[in-house]
Amino acid sequence: METFRMAAQHSDGSVLVTITGELDIATRPELCDYVDRLLRPRPGTLVLDLSEVTFMDACGLGALIILRRHATERGTRLAICGASSAVSSVISMTGLTPFFPVSPEAAAPFDGPQRRPPPEHVSTGTGGSGLYLIVGGNRFNL
Amino acid sequence: MIAYTVTTWEFTREQINTVRGSVTDYASAHGLKGVRRGDFVLAVYEGMTNAVKHAGGRGLIRMWAADGILVCDIADSGPGIPVTSFDDDPPSDHEPGGRGIWLIRRLSDSADFTTGPGGTTLRIAFWLDGPPPDDLRVPA
């Protein structure tokens, strides 16, 4: 059985939650607890990345419906930036696509240094030798 | 006389995900692939979660393949399924529950529910060579 994993990234008062594995009757309570905690400080937007969800059942879909309601109650916008075929087929079959549109651009604010291309113009930093190394978009002063 | 080899699994809430793996393997071994296998496994899983949630928390699966059809019975000893659960319309968009049976009926080539106070048996069937023409589909 695959492991169920959740991770959160914060950016400018918004949260991106990446979910990996099976979203079903077994993992639904964990997902709801986790996301409800993230909703407590009332983020502007909560983005769900469901592109690595390998299986979703009606209970998993129910969790998304509940979380959307909880988000609305707190004035948070719920967005989905990616959905696997396991997720999108259940959403479309149940006629809920209008409520869970997939908007890849919702993940844009979270394109952290590791996802951003290296800057075109670089200036020498203060301190160190002025030399630095860029690895995977991260800058290391030498 | 024609005899089929039937494979059975008992399940409780703790075991449904393991049994789902076994059901997936069984379907693969009989040639069900891709989206069709995904639909089959989801339909069977919804049957198991129904038993776990509403019918005493346990049940029995019997699977066999015959004449190009993969069949799965999911049996429980629960109180039976109320007739309102078989509405043709899905629940309202804001309702988090109540889509299990609806999904089973949409996903399966055929889904027969035999239900009463003594328990429920759900028989899900999938044609191994692809979905049957609409006029051969058994209305659920």
Side-chain angles (χ1 to χ4, degrees):
Chain A
M1 209 182 304
E2 286 172 61
T3 325
F4 181 69
R5 278 185 289 128
M6 294 174 293
Q9 260 179 281
H10 298 261
S11 174
D12 280 341
S14 293
V15 194
L16 169 68
V17 183
T18 307
I19 298 160
T20 312
E22 297 163 352
L23 178 46
D24 55 24
I25 189 174
T27 54
R28 166 179 164 153
E30 220 180 312
L31 172 75
C32 288
D33 286 353
Y34 187 77
V35 175
D36 277 339
R37 264 202 308 277
L38 292 168
L39 284 172
R40 232 169 268 161
R42 300 174 183 269
T45 306
L46 188 131
V47 184
L48 292 175
D49 185 349
L50 305 173
S51 48
E52 298 299 326
V53 172
T54 51
F55 178 84
M56 186 173 84
D57 69 347
C59 286
L61 178 66
L64 298 183
I65 293 167
I66 287 171
L67 292 175
R68 190 190 57 187
R69 185 199 296 160
H70 290 181
T72 308
E73 285 165 2
R74 285 164 190 274
T76 297
R77 189 175 78 93
L78 185 82
I80 295 178
C81 69
S84 64
S85 59
V87 170
S88 55
S89 68
V90 173
I91 287 178
S92 71
M93 194 175 298
T94 48
L96 294 173
T97 309
F99 293 93
F100 295 109
V102 175
S103 19
E105 67 278 5
F110 302 93
D111 280 344
Q114 71 279 8
R115 284 161 80 175
R116 193 182 298 153
E120 285 176 29
H121 301 287
V122 288
S123 58
T124 52
T126 57
S129 60
L131 292 172
Y132 52 83
L133 186 66
I134 294 177
V135 177
N138 290 314
R139 183 172 132 168
F140 300 94
N141 289 321
L142 298 174
Chain B
M1 186 189 103
I2 303 172
Y4 304 120
T5 306
V6 176
T7 304
T8 63
W9 292 280
E10 286 183 21
F11 62 87
T12 61
R13 191 184 190 104
E14 289 69 40
Q15 292 150 344
I16 52 172
N17 284 32
T18 311
V19 173
R20 186 176 73 206
S22 306
V23 166
T24 308
D25 293 344
Y26 190 97
S28 303
H30 287 84
L32 209 56
K33 288 186 278 225
V35 173
R36 297 268 298 158
R37 185 180 59 208
D39 287 353
F40 175 76
V41 172
L42 180 55
V44 172
Y45 190 72
E46 294 295 346
M48 286 198 286
T49 53
N50 262 345
V52 158
K53 284 194 290 189
H54 308 297
R58 59 176 60 244
L60 177 73
I61 281 194
R62 287 186 294 266
M63 276 181 82
W64 66 97
D67 305 324
I69 299 175
L70 184 63
V71 185
C72 180
D73 277 2
I74 301 143
D76 65 58
S77 312
I81 302 174
V83 72
T84 47
S85 300
F86 295 100
D87 283 350
D88 282 333
D89 297 323
S92 97
D93 301 331
H94 303 285
E95 196 56 57
R99 285 183 185 77
I101 289 175
W102 193 87
L103 266 177
I104 291 167
R105 296 171 69 195
R106 292 302 172 289
L107 291 163
S108 307
D109 292 344
S110 131
D112 297 318
F113 294 82
T114 309
T115 186
T120 298
T121 297
L122 159 62
R123 174 165 295 182
I124 290 170
F126 268 66
W127 274 245
L128 289 167
D129 290 337
D134 277 344
D135 56 349
L136 279 183
R137 265 178 188 264
V138 182

